[in-house]
Amino acid sequence: MKLLIISGRSGSGKSTALNVLEDHGFYCIDNLPASLLPALVERVTRHENDLPGMAVSIDARNISSDLKKVPSIIGELDRIELQPEIIFLDANSPTLIKRFSENRRKHPLTTDKIGLQEAINRERELLEPIAALASLSVDTSNMSLRQLRDTIKGRVVERKDNTLALLFQSFGYKNGVPIDADFVFDIRCLPNPYWDPTLRSLTGLEDPVKTYLCAYAEVEEMFEDICRFLHKWLPRFEENNRSYMTVAI
């Protein structure tokens, strides 16, 4: 049975992720007390072997002392030979504030003395033990609901094996560095096809742009350097049971 742990700050899309998984046959539980996870998993694996998978949401609504124990709680699952996959969703603080302002929902950590901004900051601190264990981190800041659903479906539901998946993500510095990237490579030192008026409307997936870049020796050198670097780190990710490596360029 496949076990997924969904976590992340409030407003990042955890409910959407659970809904996608439930639609694909996963047994889903929202806001599970972390301390109950080993007992739940043991019971389900013993009596419900026909389930394709189980997904539980563990977030800041938990008892704070339980959140600190998540690494050891995950370790308890080793005795039943089940390695969970942790999916951590997040978004930048301005986006989370905007989402709460639009739907007018109360943040679970806000009180008469704690405002929304402070609650969002505290939430990240509380969830850090889980974020550090995540096999997949997803930045939903610029995602629509449909894009998030497609991401969960493509990178979690339809993934057939337990091998490490390598995802390359392009980005623009003016929009900020992706927070879910394991490695970020700055290639602004390379020739930029944007400055060729005949190529400006094209993307890097089109042959004229590929031909332009391949004409420069420094592009090939950079490519080979990145490949050597990634080959060095891939085994370490696999040793830590990571399911994904995200590379932003």
Side-chain angles (χ1 to χ4, degrees):
M1 183 188 72
K2 190 173 186 178
L3 172 62
L4 301 176
I5 297 176
I6 309 297
S7 189
R9 289 195 285 182
S10 303
S12 61
K14 299 187 301 298
S15 296
T16 298
L18 282 178
N19 290 338
V20 172
L21 295 170
E22 189 170 42
D23 289 343
H24 286 82
F26 279 74
Y27 179 64
C28 297
I29 301 176
D30 187 21
N31 191 25
L32 178 75
S35 59
L36 299 181
L37 182 59
L40 172 67
V41 170
E42 187 169 8
R43 178 176 177 82
V44 171
T45 53
R46 182 182 301 171
H47 300 289
E48 301 291 345
N49 294 327
D50 58 333
L51 284 175
M54 180 169 65
V56 299
S57 172
I58 298 177
D59 53 45
R61 292 172 291 177
N62 255 256
I63 300 172
S64 59
S65 58
D66 277 0
L67 291 175
K68 295 178 182 178
K69 297 176 183 177
V70 166
S72 61
I73 292 172
I74 297 298
E76 290 183 35
L77 300 180
D78 290 341
R79 63 187 174 88
I80 57 176
E81 299 181 349
L82 183 63
Q83 181 64 44
E85 184 174 351
I86 300 176
I87 314 299
F88 193 85
L89 307 180
D90 203 0
N92 58 51
S93 294
T95 297
L96 294 177
I97 291 174
K98 180 181 178 181
R99 289 174 182 174
F100 273 98
S101 298
E102 289 175 346
N103 61 32
R104 300 186 181 278
R105 293 186 59 194
K106 179 181 180 296
H107 190 283
L109 298 184
T110 54
T111 66
D112 293 339
K113 297 181 180 180
I114 300 177
L116 180 57
Q117 179 67 71
E118 184 180 354
I120 287 174
N121 294 338
R122 286 193 180 187
E123 189 174 25
R124 178 68 198 195
E125 295 175 4
L126 287 172
L127 296 177
E128 188 57 39
I130 302 179
L133 297 173
S135 54
L136 172 63
S137 297
V138 180
D139 180 3
T140 68
S141 301
N142 298 312
M143 284 186 178
S144 64
L145 288 178
R146 180 176 180 179
Q147 289 172 325
L148 176 56
R149 293 188 190 103
D150 289 345
T151 297
I152 297 300
K153 181 180 177 182
R155 297 173 65 179
V156 179
V157 176
E158 296 178 349
R159 189 165 172 267
K160 300 299 183 182
D161 52 52
N162 293 319
T163 58
L164 180 69
L166 184 59
L167 174 69
F168 288 92
Q169 180 179 7
S170 63
F171 72 98
Y173 278 90
K174 65 179 181 180
N175 299 319
V177 176
I179 64 173
D180 55 346
D182 296 299
F183 297 108
V184 177
F185 294 98
D186 187 347
I187 60 172
R188 289 176 291 180
C189 58
L190 298 179
N192 189 346
Y194 177 82
W195 300 116
D196 184 332
T198 63
L199 302 176
R200 186 165 296 180
S201 62
L202 304 179
T203 72
L205 300 176
E206 298 179 76
D207 289 336
V209 175
K210 297 177 184 178
T211 301
Y212 173 91
L213 292 172
C214 288
Y216 293 90
E218 54 263 46
V219 173
E220 182 65 25
E221 292 173 4
M222 175 70 80
F223 175 77
E224 293 176 354
D225 287 344
I226 292 176
C227 286
R228 282 193 293 270
F229 181 87
L230 294 179
H231 278 298
K232 175 182 177 180
W233 280 92
L234 281 171
R236 302 189 187 186
F237 273 65
E238 292 173 337
E239 289 171 2
N240 293 326
N241 295 312
R242 288 287 303 271
S243 302
Y244 297 88
M245 176 192 287
T246 303
V247 180
I249 297 179

